[in-house]
Amino acid sequence: MQLVWIAAAGGAIAVLALGGLLRRRLTDRSASKRAHDAAQQRDPPVELGEVYEFGVTEFTDHHSGDRVAVGKVEGFVLFTDDVPASVSPGDVIRAKVLSFNRGHTSADARFVERA
């Protein structure tokens, strides 16, 4: 009988832990959505034709199909092309902003030099 109570208590603790995890995940998702919505309402912190310095966070295949470096300037995403193969995530580069995407939520840039 005592084993049944121990199993029931363990099950209850597991259910409570899972509930807390799900609640935290929904709260995090809600905060992320609010931050995304706020970012869409602000003016971009970069200007066309200007050069900015930032760290490369990753590489991806952007809409062009080419390998581009991804980085952020004040939380604003820049997709940078013509980045040498010797550049790795974590490296700091300078890039010139060429164009904004629809909605001005990110921009395309061209590599200028390593910082």
Side-chain angles (χ1 to χ4, degrees):
M1 185 69 163
Q2 187 177 11
L3 189 56
V4 171
W5 283 107
I6 293 172
I13 290 171
V15 167
L16 289 173
L18 182 60
L21 181 63
L22 289 173
R23 173 182 268 165
R24 174 180 281 165
R25 199 155 179 203
L26 290 174
T27 301
D28 289 348
R29 193 174 291 156
S30 172
S32 177
K33 172 89 170 97
R34 282 192 305 273
H36 176 74
D37 291 344
Q40 288 185 320
Q41 300 303 317
R42 73 175 184 158
D43 290 332
V46 299
E47 294 185 27
L48 294 179
E50 294 296 319
V51 175
Y52 296 91
E53 184 174 294
F54 57 92
V56 175
T57 57
E58 66 179 320
F59 287 90
T60 188
D61 294 330
H62 194 43
H63 62 267
S64 64
D66 294 330
R67 173 183 178 262
V68 295
V70 180
K72 292 184 179 183
V73 172
E74 296 180 31
F76 187 80
V77 178
L78 292 180
F79 295 100
T80 305
D81 61 7
D82 293 340
V83 177
S86 61
V87 173
S88 302
D91 290 347
V92 178
I93 63 171
R94 289 186 183 97
K96 182 177 183 177
V97 177
L98 303 175
S99 64
F100 293 111
N101 76 352
R102 231 176 325 163
H104 290 142
T105 57
S106 65
D108 292 326
R110 176 151 296 124
F111 177 82
V112 173
E113 63 186 350
R114 283 179 179 256

